Amino acid sequence: MGNTGYYTHRDFWKHEMGRGHPECPERLDAIEDRLLVTGVADALERHDDDIPLATLAQITRAHSAEHMERLEALAQRLVADAPAGGPDHAPVDPDTSLCRGTLLAARRAAGAAIAATDAVMGGQLQNAFCAVRPPGHHACREQAMGFCFLNNVAIAARHALDEHGISRVAVVDFDVHHGNGTEDILAGDPRVLMVGIFQHPFYPFSGTDQPADNMVNVPIPAYTRGMDVREMIEAVWMPRLEAFRPELVIVSAGFDAHREDELGQLGLNENDYIWITSRIREVADRYAKGRIVSLLEGGYNLDALARSVEAHVRVLADL
């Protein structure tokens, strides 16, 4: 107890969506290199060879079996057509495509979320950061979209509730994009409180139309700076989190709200991620025995992503 876990797996490098795509394997290389060169990696309990694949029973806590069948049919078609020179990718939306390694990576990413949740809930770890891809928070119950195929956060939240005897899980999402998939799956579930910030109006153009009572959405105009975002979090998130008293906090840790990230237009920096993570830790320490599972979502400027993950993980690990 007291250690911070770090979960990653080589299968996450097997998913790619074509040359020049921002959601690329090099994102994980940048994170690994930064944690190594700064010495942060030495303070983490690494898990990279003991991560199982999520089972269908675990996945269908958040997605329908038909959703998995559709993804598997696309993957099988790619494999079957390969000997005849078939395509390397199958599109699921204009920006998202599946390759032959995608489902392996996605099931392993969901498996990492579950394994980290088990270790944190079981007391083997105080908290954990999962450097996973593909990301998950846009994946809806019935639809892959926005670079996402399986909703790692929703799968982990439902697993914790069903398998670990707790009744309140908070989901915190600070990605620049609204976590529409997580909301689609968890809206109306009184066991879950989801709090999120996101640039608005912006992809996926959701999160403002009468959200369910357990959804605390904070839309933020483009070019908003970090101090203003902090004020919004303090005023809107914190009272709801305090009243909810979560027994576990799961984080959709997207770092594309960084001012150097070209896929968004918000103005956060590493100090803002330190502050946000510290506030999350205060809630977890007060109500959840410090239990946090953080899962990588967005972040596409490689240098800014690596620095931001370092800042986030330093707070988790008390460095």
Side-chain angles (χ1 to χ4, degrees):
M1 188 85 166
N3 293 339
T4 294
Y6 179 79
Y7 286 75
T8 196
H9 195 281
R10 294 309 304 180
D11 283 349
F12 303 150
W13 276 258
K14 296 177 181 178
H15 166 64
E16 52 79 25
M17 292 189 283
R19 184 185 299 274
H21 197 289
E23 207 295 280
C24 58
E26 289 78 11
R27 299 175 64 227
L28 299 185
D29 292 328
I31 292 169
E32 294 263 306
D33 290 348
R34 181 74 185 186
L35 296 182
L36 185 64
V37 75
T38 59
V40 172
D42 294 335
L44 307 177
E45 184 174 310
R46 187 178 180 95
H47 294 263
D48 56 8
D49 58 2
D50 58 348
I51 298 173
L53 295 171
T55 66
L56 182 61
Q58 292 167 335
I59 292 167
T60 52
R61 289 189 172 112
H63 298 281
S64 69
E66 291 76 16
H67 173 70
M68 280 301 297
E69 289 170 3
R70 288 190 292 270
L71 294 178
E72 288 169 353
L74 288 174
Q76 289 166 6
R77 191 173 308 130
L78 287 177
V79 172
D81 292 347
D88 292 327
H89 301 89
V92 298
D93 75 14
D95 301 310
T96 309
S97 62
L98 180 145
C99 75
R100 295 178 187 91
T102 296
L103 276 190
L104 179 65
R107 287 185 60 202
R108 191 78 68 185
I114 291 167
T117 298
D118 286 342
V120 168
M121 291 304 304
Q124 291 84 38
L125 296 171
Q126 180 65 67
N127 54 48
F129 177 75
C130 301
V132 299
R133 53 181 302 278
H137 76 152
H138 293 309
C140 301
R141 176 172 172 78
E142 301 284 355
Q143 182 180 4
M145 61 179 290
F147 309 168
C148 303
F149 300 86
L150 300 178
N151 197 305
N152 304 315
V153 163
I155 291 168
R158 288 273 170 80
H159 175 80
L161 290 163
D162 290 352
E163 299 294 335
H164 289 284
I166 60 174
S167 56
R168 295 183 306 281
V169 173
V171 172
V172 178
D173 189 330
F174 52 75
D175 193 277
V176 78
H177 304 97
H178 173 232
N180 63 301
T182 312
E183 178 165 332
D184 175 66
I185 294 165
L186 299 177
D189 187 339
R191 305 173 299 170
V192 179
L193 177 72
M194 179 179 176
V195 301
I197 57 169
F198 51 91
Q199 182 178 324
H200 182 81
F202 201 43
Y203 182 88
F205 304 101
S206 58
T208 58
D209 186 16
Q210 297 181 327
D213 290 343
N214 67 322
M215 297 287 130
V216 182
N217 295 336
V218 184
I220 297 174
Y223 308 111
T224 302
R225 299 288 180 157
M227 293 307 296
D228 295 323
V229 173
R230 295 188 198 190
E231 290 181 8
M232 296 178 196
I233 288 173
E234 199 66 53
V236 183
W237 279 13
M238 299 312 296
R240 290 293 302 271
L241 287 168
E242 293 280 350
F244 187 65
R245 302 170 66 92
E247 296 166 278
L248 171 69
V249 180
I250 302 178
V251 182
S252 268
F255 298 96
D256 40 6
H258 195 285
R259 64 188 180 191
E260 296 174 21
D261 199 301
E262 295 182 355
L263 265 69
Q265 291 87 39
L266 291 185
L268 302 191
N269 60 32
E270 294 91 310
N271 288 331
D272 297 311
Y273 291 120
I274 289 170
W275 183 87
I276 293 169
T277 309
S278 297
R279 296 300 278 135
I280 294 169
R281 275 211 61 179
E282 290 169 18
V283 171
D285 288 346
R286 189 172 299 124
Y287 302 114
K289 302 178 183 178
R291 298 184 295 217
I292 299 171
V293 176
S294 180
L295 300 162
L296 181 65
E297 299 283 3
Y300 305 102
N301 178 299
L302 298 184
D303 188 48
L305 169 64
R307 299 194 318 265
S308 299
V309 169
E310 179 203 352
H312 178 63
V313 172
R314 281 187 180 275
V315 177
L316 293 179
D318 279 324
L319 299 178

